[in-house]
């Protein structure tokens, strides 16, 4: 069960919010089924084992994801938070989180979808109430709606990730330069 979700945003809550891709265009839903939600929780590293989610867990996850996205967007743009979105996020964050346990072989975290979702919501609370807010940027790919934490030197990062967006735009810019170069026009 590996769907290879992307974790390029620098914070689990931002990566979670990015599971609805291309919000301004074709909108691609990463949580189409319960097993895809389970896969995200496992691949994120927040849990080592997840109890199988059901459709109700998926709907709850989508609601919390949209609350995170709305609140991150508002904070990033310097706008007021929507009260309904605040309540939704805080309700999820108030549920029991995934709790790591020490075992003979190291740390292990087993959780239900609700516990894992609470953990994601708590990451969102910490992000939005913490020092990383000025480091939040939206990817410069006009089709991408990921918000990421820019910890690059001089805060000059433009893309959520080079593999996901940066390489596409660098290649497109190169092709455009080649097409409009004097040598290309003469040929």
């Amino acid at each position: 069960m590996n769907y290879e979700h992307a974790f390029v945003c620098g914070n689990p809550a931002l990566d979670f919010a990015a599971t609805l891709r291309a919000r301004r265009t074709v909108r691609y839903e990463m949580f189409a089924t319960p097993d895809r939600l389970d896969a995200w929780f496992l691949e994120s590293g927040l849990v080592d084992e997840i109890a199988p989610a059901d459709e109700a867990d998926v709907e709850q996850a989508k609601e919390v994801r949209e609350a995170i996205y709305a609140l991150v967007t508002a904070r990033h743009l310097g706008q007021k938070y929507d009260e309904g979105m605040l309540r939704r996020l805080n309700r999820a964050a108030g549920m029991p989180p995934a709790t790591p346990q020490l075992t003979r072989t190291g740390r292990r975290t087993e959780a239900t979808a609700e516990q894992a979702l609470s953990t994601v919501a708590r990451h969102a609370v910490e992000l939005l109430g913490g020092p990383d807010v000025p480091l939040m940027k939206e990817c410069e790919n006009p089709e991408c709606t990921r918000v990421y934490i820019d910890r690059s030197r001089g805060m000059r990062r433009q893309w959520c990730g080079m593999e996901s967006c940066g390489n596409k735009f660098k290649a497109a810019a190169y092709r455009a330069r080649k097409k409009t170069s004097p040598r290309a026009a003469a040929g």
Side-chain angles (χ1 to χ4, degrees), residues 15-70:
D15 288 318
F16 194 76
T19 60
L20 179 59
R21 304 249 173 98
R23 289 170 181 267
R24 293 192 263 301
T25 56
V26 294
R27 297 174 72 101
Y28 179 73
E29 176 60 67
M30 296 299 295
F31 297 154
T33 60
D35 64 315
R36 298 212 36 186
L37 176 63
D38 294 342
W40 190 93
F41 287 133
L42 291 168
E43 291 174 27
S44 73
L46 294 176
V47 300
D48 300 301
E49 187 175 324
I50 189 86
D54 60 24
E55 290 297 329
D57 294 321
V58 171
E59 290 310 309
Q60 179 70 20
K62 288 177 182 179
E63 288 178 12
V64 172
R65 177 191 63 201
E66 293 312 300
I68 292 170
Y69 186 77

Side-chain angles (χ1 to χ4, degrees), residues 92-99 112 114-119 122:
M95 300 306 290
T99 306
T112 64
E114 182 177 73
Q115 291 169 320
L117 188 58
S118 175
T119 301
R122 288 168 185 235

Side-chain angles (χ1 to χ4, degrees), residues 15-154:
D15 288 318
F16 194 76
T19 60
L20 179 59
R21 304 249 173 98
R23 289 170 181 267
R24 293 192 263 301
T25 56
V26 294
R27 297 174 72 101
Y28 179 73
E29 176 60 67
M30 296 299 295
F31 297 154
T33 60
D35 64 315
R36 298 212 36 186
L37 176 63
D38 294 342
W40 190 93
F41 287 133
L42 291 168
E43 291 174 27
S44 73
L46 294 176
V47 300
D48 300 301
E49 187 175 324
I50 189 86
D54 60 24
E55 290 297 329
D57 294 321
V58 171
E59 290 310 309
Q60 179 70 20
K62 288 177 182 179
E63 288 178 12
V64 172
R65 177 191 63 201
E66 293 312 300
I68 292 170
Y69 186 77
L71 296 169
V72 163
T73 300
R75 180 68 189 221
H76 180 64
L77 297 175
Q79 299 171 347
K80 282 183 66 175
Y81 290 143
D82 176 275
E83 290 298 319
M85 296 298 179
L86 270 176
R87 281 191 301 277
R88 186 174 291 159
L89 177 67
N90 287 330
R91 187 172 41 250
M95 300 306 290
T99 306
Q101 300 290 308
L102 185 61
T103 68
R104 294 182 198 280
T105 58
R107 177 186 102 16
R108 181 156 181 84
T109 305
E110 298 174 9
T112 64
E114 182 177 73
Q115 291 169 320
L117 188 58
S118 175
T119 301
V120 170
R122 288 168 185 235
H123 277 281
V125 169
E126 291 301 318
L127 171 66
L128 293 169
D132 286 345
V133 169
L135 305 178
M136 290 192 310
K137 284 185 173 178
E138 186 175 40
C139 183
E140 289 188 18
N141 174 350
E143 295 177 10
C144 183
T145 53
R146 284 187 184 125
V147 174
Y148 62 91
I149 303 296
D150 183 0
R151 296 189 193 287
S152 68
R153 185 177 210 166

